[in-house]
Amino acid sequence: MDEEQHLTLSDRFENTEFIKNSMMVLGVPFDAPEEFKQRVWAAAQSYVAGNRSMDYFYKRYGNDAKFPRPPENRRKLSSTLSQCNFEVERVASQLTNGVERRSYLGLFAAESALLRLSVSFEYASFLLMQGAVYESASVMRLCLEQIAWSYDVYLLDNETLFEKNPTRSVSKIKELDIHAGKLYSLLSNYTHIQPKLQRDYLDFSDKYAAVIFRDFDAALKLSELYARIVNLYVITAEKISYDYFAEAKAWSRNQDGDLVRISDYSCREAMRRWAESISGDA
């Protein structure tokens, strides 16, 4: 967790000896209700003090405990990543839905690779939330390579799939996204921290140059690429495993039985519609 998500005491507690000796860092969602943060803080303080109940700290100091509100770019970033990750989780759950698959080596390898990518997406989004642009880009490129490899091998039923190079498979995934090559190239620039990117992580506004370690504005921009990779993940997984998914949002079958893309699908649009359906039920 970074400093903007820490639960810290307001200045008025600095004269309290207990507070000075037991400062701590607690991680909670920054969009959690204020009362929830106060209760978590009070419980932690009471534990350190050896009290059995949090009532004393909550009633006496709870309303005075102030927690900083993250800036707008971080809230937008969190919203974008949450929408994308909802779709990743939806697809990952379908990959393990218990429906019996064909005994097909390529299908097994492809689904296995796509399933483990749910963890890769989790860490890529975590790095973006920390403003670690270059590190997240490296994981995002890994995701793109594995998606491409899965699409390249899912129809194979022999050991030739082990000869497929994930890097070279990117050209194959262009069948599903013609811009995949450009996207891969852009992520490679970040992964290798090309010299031309130095102007993005060096700050010359002061007397001496400074290195920028966390850039939340840049992370918000990069989240657009993250969303595109999640889109490709959903599109690829649903095409590969369409016959085994309970529901597909990016594909459907036409009258001839051929798979056709649902043109208006995107992970953001899917999440918006889901949110509207929930609010409608309420």
Side-chain angles (χ1 to χ4, degrees):
M1 309 295 286
D2 60 71
E3 60 186 3
E4 291 176 341
Q5 290 175 280
H6 294 168
L7 304 191
T8 57
L9 301 178
S10 60
D11 293 339
R12 67 181 298 171
F13 294 116
E14 288 185 353
N15 294 327
T16 305
E17 188 61 25
F18 167 74
I19 296 301
K20 291 167 64 177
N21 291 335
S22 63
M23 289 293 290
M24 63 188 68
V25 174
L26 303 172
V28 299
F30 58 63
D31 55 354
E34 197 73 3
E35 181 182 352
F36 174 79
K37 296 178 182 178
Q38 292 168 353
R39 288 178 178 271
V40 171
W41 171 82
Q45 296 293 358
S46 63
Y47 176 81
V48 173
N51 294 357
R52 292 192 174 185
S53 172
M54 58 175 261
D55 289 352
Y56 170 76
F57 285 96
Y58 180 66
K59 292 178 179 178
R60 183 166 182 176
Y61 299 116
N63 290 334
D64 297 316
K66 305 301 180 184
F67 312 112
R69 181 175 173 80
E72 183 65 20
N73 58 0
R74 297 218 58 210
R75 293 197 293 272
K76 288 182 178 179
L77 179 60
S78 176
S79 176
T80 297
L81 297 178
S82 295
Q83 293 173 31
C84 293
N85 292 341
F86 176 87
E87 283 294 275
V88 172
E89 292 171 7
R90 178 184 66 81
V91 170
S93 67
Q94 289 295 301
L95 291 170
T96 56
N97 60 9
V99 176
E100 186 175 353
R101 267 66 166 168
R102 290 177 57 196
S103 180
Y104 217 74
L105 182 60
L107 177 63
F108 174 78
E111 285 197 329
S112 298
L114 291 171
L115 179 60
R116 70 160 304 282
L117 275 183
S118 60
V119 175
S120 300
F121 279 116
E122 178 182 344
Y123 280 98
S125 61
F126 173 81
L127 288 166
L128 279 175
M129 278 302 299
Q130 304 308 305
V133 176
Y134 301 93
E135 293 75 13
S136 61
S138 298
V139 182
M140 288 161 60
R141 192 180 78 148
L142 177 152
C143 293
L144 180 54
E145 288 177 345
Q146 287 296 293
I147 293 168
W149 183 84
S150 298
Y151 183 68
D152 203 9
V153 305
Y154 85 100
L155 292 176
L156 301 178
D157 195 26
N158 54 58
E159 294 186 357
T160 59
L161 69 86
F162 296 111
E163 300 173 7
K164 294 290 185 178
N165 186 306
T167 302
R168 295 177 181 174
S169 294
V170 173
S171 61
K172 178 71 174 179
I173 203 67
K174 291 179 183 178
E175 295 177 2
L176 299 183
D177 185 346
I178 60 174
H179 302 295
K182 292 182 179 179
L183 179 58
Y184 184 74
S185 178
L186 180 58
L187 291 172
S188 295
N189 288 338
Y190 280 93
T191 299
H192 302 301
I193 313 183
Q194 294 289 350
K196 64 183 179 180
L197 295 175
Q198 284 186 341
R199 64 181 181 272
D200 295 335
Y201 64 84
L202 291 177
D203 182 6
F204 295 98
S205 61
D206 207 345
K207 181 178 180 181
Y208 300 102
V211 175
I212 301 173
F213 294 100
R214 299 173 184 267
D215 190 336
F216 297 108
D217 287 330
L220 181 58
K221 293 179 180 178
L222 198 63
S223 69
E224 297 297 326
L225 300 187
Y226 182 83
R228 289 178 57 184
I229 296 175
V230 170
N231 274 343
L232 188 57
Y233 175 74
V234 174
I235 291 166
T236 303
E238 289 192 350
K239 181 176 177 62
I240 289 173
S241 304
Y242 182 87
D243 292 332
Y244 311 107
F245 278 21
E247 180 184 11
K249 295 185 177 182
W251 297 89
S252 64
R253 288 198 185 277
N254 61 18
Q255 293 180 343
D256 297 326
D258 299 323
L259 281 180
V260 292
R261 282 279 299 278
I262 299 175
S263 59
D264 65 346
Y265 171 81
S266 74
C267 63
R268 285 191 173 191
E269 180 66 14
M271 186 60 187
R272 184 187 67 79
R273 290 177 179 175
W274 177 81
E276 287 181 351
S277 69
I278 294 299
S279 61
D281 292 339

